[in-house]
Amino acid sequence: MRKRLLIILACGLLASAGCTTAVEQRTFSEDGKTAVAYQETLLETQNKQTEQIAAQATGGTLDNPVVIVNPYGLSPLSALIQFDTETAEPVTVIVKGKQPQTDLTWTYEPSTSHCLPIIGLYPEQKTTVQLIVDDMVKELEIEGQALPENAFMAEVTIEHQNPQPNQLIFTTPSSTGYATGYDSQGEIRWILNVMMLWDLNLLEDGRITLSTNRLLDSPYYTTGFLTMDLLGHIDAEYSVPGGYHHDLDQLPNGNFLIASDDFSGSTVEDVIVEVDRQTGTIVKSFDLKTILPQDQGKSLNWTAKDWFHNNSVDYNPAQNTLTVSGRHQDAVAVIDYDTQELIAIIGSPDGWPEEMQQYFLTPEGEGFEWQWAQHAATWLDDRHIMMFDNGMYRSKTEENAVAAEDNYSRLVVYEVDLEARTIRQVKEYGKERGYAYYSPYISDVDFLGNDQWLVTSGGISWLDGKINNMPGSLTTYDQMEAYVTLIEGSQEQFEIKIPANIYRAEMIDVSKTTMTPLESGRLLGSLGVTAYQTEDDLESKLKFSEAQPIEEELAAKLTLTQEQDRLMVTATLNKHDNLDLILAKEEEVRIYPVQTDTQPGMCVAVFNQPKSPDVATLIQTVSAEGLDGTWHVYYQFNNQLIDARQIYRN
């Protein structure tokens, strides 16, 4: 819980030089105090790089093009090629693979100035790249850079029966690793070397989306999300007051629908917001606590704080509905987008009260099974919905819980009639593979057209040869696995196995991706004003004259940095420690409790990996919005007031 401060003061805020006056005119001496260290964001660094790259990428010719490998330092298997032609010409680029079916090809519109993104280089070896202009072919040998540590090689377990041109499978991490693109031979042809999470979406304009690399709050809530190209160049960074987690959907109007939070409350993963693509402002918000009961339909994973655990968002234009997936209620909820009224719940009605039964659907047909702890619930049209049925426990009661070795995960597709309140199971895949394909968390399904489906069983882990029934991030394991399987009908066409847990996977035709212009990226939206306490919220005022200088041992546990839009406390603490950040200036004191009761990172374990069961690294963000002026930094640590000897200026 966010605790109250207990320290008591008799005479008001004191400056480092002495006591303030009776009217509390607060003054400070800045002697011996240092400025909070400034840390550039990735966007700020890239904007400087873009100016340099634009200056370098000029004056090339087809015979002697300008080649910049990994221009932004973020995508080591990419390059930028620039050259000019006397007349406007289209250009075809072929990045040669080790096998003909792994060639990657793009054709660009006619122009006299060509600035071409290249992806698909092989790490630390020369890759042949052909530039074709009219009947002229320029062949280059470009060497990709080394892979980052924790890059995971894939094993092809089923050879591709009919590989399509330009297709890469893009995965995002859950355990360790990075966003990665694999070809049909299992070779890594694209990778980032900075941690970015959640679903990698291809937008209609050819950009991709990922989370920012900035943690907003523990355990894995990021400041927002990015639109970027495969070179790693950020087009826009969107900041959201409640941060971003799990999933994003682009609406027909171009705006983004994202899973978010409200950190002013006591629960998490139960807010969805619509973000304006042009401005980053929030234009609509859904609070699931006002739509669903928090204490009903509990799964065996339920906690009071993470009661719903929303892991997907999907807008259905044919229905004008928002559909969300609550892992901790084994429930997929369909909500009217305009009125925010609950329309239906897809899932077992067990454990729900009588007044909620009206929202559940009646199963029809043979072989029907409900889903459990599901992920990636997405409508295919106005009547069919697909999801990954993780199957965890397959019951809401411990006495009926299915053991991991008897369990399975699957793709499932339901036909739903919302008017007749009926549901029919029309497709499944994975059950026949048994416990070896069982993923109790994360995972994904995608429909590719022509009865082709991409199924990602991403969260498999083992201990001593026995399958785990808990997410790998929450239990002990000696082996992790993820399978990405392409099926046509019910037949496997291709599969790779990765020795890690991955959050999701997407199959993308890279020829449909585009390069962002060589211009500065934009920071849009806002982190809002961070909630804080004041001295009026306390039983008595803080006694700054008795603040102790920070000791070396505590300073080693606490890091305070500032970025362009926030202050960030990083603290490695025992779970029983209490910590508050206090900012003080003349006439004002703001107190920011640092939460030490954060839940473990269920879906991604890449941030905050504990050193021991009792120790964790915590993040507390304080938005710069509304923090004008000069502030002196204090901490209250286990009821002792500490002078950090630092100044924050905004």
Side-chain angles (χ1 to χ4, degrees):
M1 294 174 59
R2 290 183 181 267
K3 63 182 184 61
R4 285 184 59 88
L5 292 166
L6 300 177
I7 198 162
I8 299 175
L9 170 69
C11 72
L13 180 64
L14 301 184
S16 54
C19 190
T20 57
T21 64
V23 295
E24 296 191 2
Q25 183 116 34
R26 297 161 178 172
T27 60
F28 295 91
S29 167
E30 297 184 13
D31 294 343
K33 294 194 174 186
T34 60
V36 174
Y38 189 88
Q39 179 174 293
E40 276 191 352
T41 65
L42 182 59
L43 181 63
E44 288 178 297
T45 300
Q46 284 207 352
N47 285 344
K48 293 179 181 178
Q49 292 172 319
T50 298
E51 296 179 11
Q52 299 168 356
I53 293 166
Q56 295 173 19
T58 184
T61 65
L62 182 59
D63 287 335
N64 188 26
V66 175
V67 179
I68 307 173
V69 177
N70 192 8
Y72 291 96
L74 192 66
S75 180
L77 305 185
S78 72
L80 184 64
I81 294 179
Q82 187 280 330
F83 63 93
D84 297 325
T85 52
E86 292 183 358
T87 58
E89 303 286 351
V91 179
T92 295
V93 175
I94 302 176
V95 181
K96 303 296 287 185
K98 293 182 179 179
Q99 301 291 333
Q101 63 265 32
T102 59
D103 290 354
L104 302 177
T105 304
W106 299 260
T107 297
Y108 296 98
E109 294 294 325
S111 177
T112 57
S113 181
H114 309 276
C115 201
L116 309 177
I118 304 297
I119 70 160
L121 305 179
Y122 288 94
E124 296 185 285
Q125 54 187 291
K126 292 187 182 299
T127 304
T128 300
V129 177
Q130 295 178 338
L131 307 176
I132 304 173
V133 180
D134 198 11
D135 58 352
M136 297 176 291
V137 179
K138 174 64 176 179
E139 193 164 279
L140 304 171
E141 297 291 328
I142 305 176
E143 184 172 322
Q145 296 179 349
L147 296 174
E149 292 186 19
N150 293 326
F152 291 102
M153 308 304 295
E155 174 190 352
V156 176
T157 55
I158 301 174
E159 292 283 347
H160 208 308
Q161 305 301 302
N162 184 29
Q164 300 297 307
N166 296 320
Q167 300 283 348
L168 293 183
I169 289 177
F170 289 85
T171 66
T172 46
S174 174
S175 50
T176 54
Y178 301 92
T180 305
Y182 300 91
D183 68 15
S184 61
Q185 298 294 305
E187 296 270 5
I188 295 177
R189 305 290 297 279
W190 178 85
I191 194 168
L192 297 180
N193 56 24
V194 169
M195 189 67 67
M196 295 177 183
L197 303 173
W198 308 121
D199 195 20
L200 188 154
N201 288 273
L202 177 64
L203 303 177
E204 289 186 0
D205 64 2
R207 310 288 198 267
I208 64 169
T209 64
L210 280 167
S211 79
T212 66
N213 66 320
R214 302 197 292 153
L215 191 62
L216 177 64
D217 202 357
S218 303
Y220 48 51
Y221 309 119
T222 60
T223 56
F225 60 97
L226 308 168
T227 59
M228 60 190 295
D229 64 21
L230 293 179
L231 295 180
H233 182 208
I234 299 168
D235 180 53
E237 176 178 343
Y238 294 84
S239 293
V240 183
Y244 169 58
H245 64 87
H246 282 93
D247 201 15
L248 171 154
D249 191 20
Q250 189 171 26
L251 299 173
N253 64 8
N255 290 350
F256 297 107
L257 193 64
I258 73 165
S260 189
D261 280 299
D262 176 8
F263 295 122
S264 66
S266 59
T267 61
V268 293
E269 302 189 27
D270 52 13
V271 171
I272 299 93
V273 296
E274 180 183 338
V275 178
D276 186 286
R277 180 166 190 178
Q278 300 304 316
T279 65
T281 57
I282 294 175
V283 297
K284 193 177 184 68
S285 180
F286 296 80
D287 184 350
L288 296 179
K289 294 187 296 297
T290 67
I291 300 171
L292 290 161
Q294 296 171 244
D295 58 352
Q296 306 295 334
K298 299 178 183 179
S299 79
L300 294 175
N301 297 297
W302 185 94
T303 68
K305 183 172 185 176
D306 195 7
W307 64 277
F308 190 72
H309 194 90
N310 179 42
N311 57 44
S312 72
V313 294
D314 181 64
Y315 175 76
N316 188 328
Q319 302 170 340
N320 191 34
T321 57
L322 163 66
T323 296
V324 292
S325 167
R327 181 184 191 272
H328 291 179
Q329 287 186 332
D330 301 313
V332 172
V334 184
I335 300 164
D336 185 287
Y337 200 81
D338 292 333
T339 67
Q340 301 198 15
E341 294 179 352
L342 181 64
I343 296 174
I345 298 175
I346 299 172
S348 170
D350 293 351
W352 293 83
E354 182 62 32
E355 62 270 19
M356 294 298 297
Q357 295 298 314
Q358 61 179 312
Y359 297 107
F360 288 87
L361 307 176
T362 301
E364 293 184 339
E366 297 180 356
F368 183 90
E369 293 182 67
W370 290 117
Q371 85 287 349
W372 305 88
Q374 73 290 318
H375 283 72
T378 308
W379 289 94
L380 299 169
D381 50 38
D382 64 341
R383 292 179 67 90
H384 295 88
I385 188 169
M386 66 178 178
M387 63 191 74
F388 187 88
D389 172 16
N390 295 82
M392 191 174 183
Y393 300 126
R394 296 200 174 274
S395 172
K396 292 182 182 291
T397 61
E398 291 186 6
E399 56 268 25
N400 294 320
V402 177
E405 58 269 24
D406 299 321
N407 213 338
Y408 52 89
S409 297
R410 61 183 184 143
L411 153 74
V412 63
V413 181
Y414 296 120
E415 182 179 8
V416 176
D417 187 330
L418 292 175
E419 292 187 4
R421 318 299 291 177
T422 59
I423 185 169
R424 181 186 299 270
Q425 182 176 303
V426 295
K427 186 178 185 63
E428 68 174 357
Y429 169 83
K431 181 178 180 179
E432 66 279 11
R433 298 185 64 165
Y435 69 84
Y437 205 67
Y438 170 59
S439 176
Y441 77 132
I442 52 179
S443 306
D444 192 18
V445 293
D446 293 291
F447 178 59
L448 306 180
N450 299 319
D451 204 17
Q452 289 192 330
W453 310 77
L454 193 70
V455 186
T456 303
S457 188
I460 304 166
S461 68
W462 305 78
L463 180 63
D464 297 330
K466 185 177 181 180
I467 192 78
N468 274 330
N469 206 19
M470 290 292 290
S473 58
L474 301 181
T475 192
T476 303
Y477 61 87
D478 54 28
Q479 181 180 346
M480 278 188 167
E481 292 175 342
Y483 288 93
V484 183
T485 311
L486 174 66
I487 64 171
E488 185 171 334
S490 59
Q491 297 298 311
E492 292 97 349
Q493 299 293 309
F494 173 65
E495 182 175 85
I496 57 175
K497 181 171 75 171
I498 300 169
N501 280 179
I502 60 172
Y503 176 66
R504 286 190 182 178
E506 306 290 335
M507 182 171 279
I508 293 176
D509 180 344
V510 296
S511 69
K512 295 181 179 179
T513 64
T514 58
M515 175 180 161
T516 63
L518 286 177
E519 300 171 353
S520 294
R522 303 170 296 161
L523 178 63
L524 301 173
S526 166
L527 295 177
V529 175
T530 303
Y532 59 88
Q533 296 176 340
T534 68
E535 286 186 291
D536 292 338
D537 296 318
L538 308 178
E539 295 178 2
S540 186
K541 292 187 178 296
L542 297 166
K543 198 169 186 179
F544 282 85
S545 61
E546 297 182 2
Q548 299 297 309
I550 191 166
E551 296 180 356
E552 185 175 337
E553 181 180 357
L554 180 59
K557 299 178 180 179
L558 295 174
T559 301
L560 184 65
T561 55
Q562 63 171 306
E563 296 176 340
Q564 61 178 325
D565 57 352
R566 65 171 179 168
L567 269 170
M568 184 170 66
V569 179
T570 305
T572 301
L573 301 175
N574 187 287
K575 67 180 181 180
H576 300 298
D577 288 333
N578 291 317
L579 177 69
D580 296 296
L581 170 68
I582 300 173
L583 302 180
K585 67 176 183 178
E586 296 182 13
E587 306 298 334
E588 189 171 6
V589 174
R590 296 189 181 187
I591 305 158
Y592 301 91
V594 178
Q595 295 194 68
T596 56
D597 67 338
T598 182
Q599 76 275 20
M602 174 177 291
C603 293
V604 289
V606 292
F607 295 121
N608 304 334
Q609 298 193 40
K611 297 180 178 179
S612 76
D614 294 327
V615 178
T617 299
L618 310 169
I619 300 291
Q620 180 72 39
T621 286
V622 175
S623 171
E625 189 169 331
L627 275 179
D628 297 330
T630 298
W631 299 82
H632 293 247
V633 180
Y634 295 84
Y635 297 107
Q636 181 160 283
F637 180 65
N638 293 339
N639 295 329
Q640 183 178 16
L641 190 62
I642 306 293
D643 187 349
R645 309 298 295 163
Q646 288 181 295
I647 298 289
Y648 168 61
R649 291 187 177 91
N650 182 38

